[in-house]
Amino acid sequence: MRIKLLAVVAFLAATVSTNAVAQTPAFDTKAKQIYLVDGETGTVLFARGEHEPVPPASLAKLMAMEVVFEALDKGELSPETTYEVSEHAWRTGGAPSGTSTMFAAIKSRIRVADLIQGATVQLANDACIILAEGMTGSEAAFAKRMTARARELGMPVASFNNATGLPDPANKVTMRELVTLARHLREAHPNFYRLYSQAEFEWNKILQRNRNPLIAANVGVDGLATGFAEGFGFSMAASMQRGDRRVYLAMGGLESDKERTEESRRVLDWAMSAFEKRRIFGDGETIGEASVYGGAASHVALVASGPIDVLLPVNNAERLTARIVYKWPLTAPVAAGQDVGVIKLWNGERLLLEVPVRTGSAVEVGTLTSRAIDALQELLFFWL
């Protein structure tokens, strides 16, 4: 594999991320917004409008459930805790609402364990409202907690004004944030995440099937949820596992339920078949060097902070290039293993991956003479 290492020096510190774009021009989708990520390497296989704020619709319930799962994990509540069904929960999300519901009876008390099944499998609005009111006293207070939690998870745009995603202009999220949330749900709450793959559940003598059509299709999808909003269209957040590969998908702006099912399945199948993994650098492998100011040595080796793998299109014809970006120069003393910048990998004109690099050894402070020479060199460089 041909990899050309480009200029090492940059004057502004780069923001570290693990985003990648390995999009093949031959493939397209009807989704207006989409973000498709390989779970292991972080390679973004397809992206379009992934930063656009859109109505989350029922996908907001993923954020609501993360708040609930976190509270359960911390012992703030128990699966056996019971909450009363208020009139607001009953009218807004229950049988009278005509929306997705688990048919909770007004003034009855329901276990948290049953409510989270209703919210994950059936995407029940009443279940989410009952949990919100039970945990924080009001749905509005719970929605504020959802937004605050989203910020903690690295979701800067997401905003919620209710626990259900029912129409409200303040509800917004991006496709990229939905993928961030989906990955977190699976990795941080694996015991609860498995509920999203549950085909059906029966509660109060009512059998309810999973509203995600890809669960019943048995194609490797084990979550998460679907949504619909007037003026935006049909949306989905999904995760698929095949063999040792996992991908995460968020997509929206589709015109029908049928189109959403067909497109999501087609996109996921393409993600699993059109790419192959390549190792670019091994853990600890030297990939370049950085200048050191005022040190006993003028340069220090930079190494990968872990194995660097990317997914590339099968039979990829593009040339791979790499560039190390760091704030020039490093100032002694420099510790071994210190994160000092990032390496960016490009496939042709497309950015594939951006991951941290670290120093391969320590550099102590140099002599007075060597520091004077370095200072003169830096002054001449900026003057020129």
Side-chain angles (χ1 to χ4, degrees), residues 23-30 34 36 45-46 48 263-271 274-275:
Q23 183 171 320
T24 53
F27 182 84
D28 203 357
T29 173
K30 297 176 183 178
I34 180 172
L36 175 66
L45 307 178
F46 202 101
R48 175 191 293 148
E263 279 298 283
S264 57
R265 185 164 181 174
R266 189 174 71 89
V267 168
L268 289 167
D269 285 339
W270 171 77
F275 296 88

Side-chain angles (χ1 to χ4, degrees), residues 166 203 218 244 328:
L166 288 170
W203 176 80
N218 197 29
D244 59 355
W328 181 93

Side-chain angles (χ1 to χ4, degrees), residues 22-24 45 245 270-277 311-314:
Q23 183 171 320
T24 53
L45 307 178
R245 287 278 316 284
W270 171 77
M272 290 297 189
S273 62
F275 296 88
E276 58 185 0
K277 186 170 74 171
L311 287 189
L312 295 173
V314 176

Side-chain angles (χ1 to χ4, degrees), residues 20-335:
V21 176
Q23 183 171 320
T24 53
F27 182 84
D28 203 357
T29 173
K30 297 176 183 178
K32 293 181 177 63
Q33 297 86 16
I34 180 172
Y35 198 57
L36 175 66
V37 179
D38 175 66
E40 180 187 1
T41 66
T43 306
V44 178
L45 307 178
F46 202 101
R48 175 191 293 148
E50 70 274 23
H51 299 293
E52 296 176 12
V54 299
S58 282
L59 300 183
K61 296 180 176 74
L62 298 177
M63 191 72 249
M65 287 302 98
E66 199 288 327
V67 173
V68 175
F69 298 159
E70 184 72 3
L72 284 164
D73 286 343
K74 289 183 175 180
E76 294 178 17
L77 70 159
S78 161
E80 299 305 315
T81 301
T82 62
Y83 290 135
E84 183 174 294
V85 182
S86 69
E87 183 174 348
H88 168 66
W90 178 70
R91 290 192 181 278
T92 307
S97 69
T99 64
S100 177
T101 178
M102 64 183 292
F103 300 100
I106 188 171
K107 302 302 181 183
S108 64
R109 296 190 69 87
I110 305 175
R111 294 186 315 151
V112 166
D114 296 321
L115 291 169
I116 62 176
Q117 281 206 98
T120 55
V121 179
Q122 180 61 15
L123 299 180
N125 289 314
D126 50 358
C128 292
I129 299 172
I130 296 164
L131 284 164
E133 292 179 334
M135 289 178 60
T136 62
S138 72
E139 187 178 7
F142 187 83
K144 290 181 180 179
R145 184 166 172 177
M146 289 168 60
T147 302
R149 180 62 176 158
R151 296 294 177 273
E152 293 175 2
L153 298 180
M155 301 166 62
V157 175
S159 176
F160 305 96
N161 212 34
N162 55 45
T164 60
L166 288 170
D168 189 300
N171 289 340
K172 59 183 178 179
V173 73
T174 70
M175 295 297 116
R176 181 169 179 169
E177 289 176 328
L178 286 170
V179 166
T180 297
L181 179 56
R183 295 187 70 162
H184 172 79
L185 283 168
R186 179 180 171 272
E187 293 168 4
H189 308 293
N191 291 333
F192 296 116
Y193 176 84
R194 62 179 179 78
L195 296 174
Y196 288 107
S197 62
Q198 188 173 320
E200 60 186 30
F201 82 104
E202 183 174 349
W203 176 80
N204 201 24
K205 299 181 180 180
I206 301 173
L207 180 66
Q208 301 187 54
R209 290 182 170 83
N210 198 305
R211 296 180 70 87
N212 185 345
L214 297 184
I215 297 298
N218 197 29
V219 292
V221 171
D222 54 17
L224 296 144
T226 58
F228 169 75
E230 290 286 349
F232 169 61
F234 292 79
S235 56
M236 173 177 282
S239 182
M240 171 185 273
Q241 176 88 34
R242 280 189 188 170
D244 59 355
R245 287 278 316 284
R246 176 172 289 275
V247 295
Y248 295 90
L249 168 68
M251 61 193 307
L254 295 154
E255 295 184 357
S256 68
D257 185 13
K258 181 175 182 290
E259 183 174 85
R260 173 179 60 195
T261 301
E262 291 175 349
E263 279 298 283
S264 57
R265 185 164 181 174
R266 189 174 71 89
V267 168
L268 289 167
D269 285 339
W270 171 77
M272 290 297 189
S273 62
F275 296 88
E276 58 185 0
K277 186 170 74 171
R278 304 278 188 88
R279 173 145 297 178
I280 308 301
F281 296 106
D283 184 13
E285 181 178 348
T286 298
I287 56 179
E289 61 180 19
S291 299
V292 179
Y293 171 82
S298 61
H299 293 81
V300 63
L302 299 180
V303 301
S305 56
I308 299 179
D309 299 327
V310 296
L311 287 189
L312 295 173
V314 176
N315 300 320
N316 179 60
E318 298 282 357
R319 185 180 186 184
L320 295 183
T321 57
R323 175 175 294 153
I324 299 173
V325 182
Y326 71 101
K327 188 175 181 180
W328 181 93
L330 304 182
T331 302
V334 176

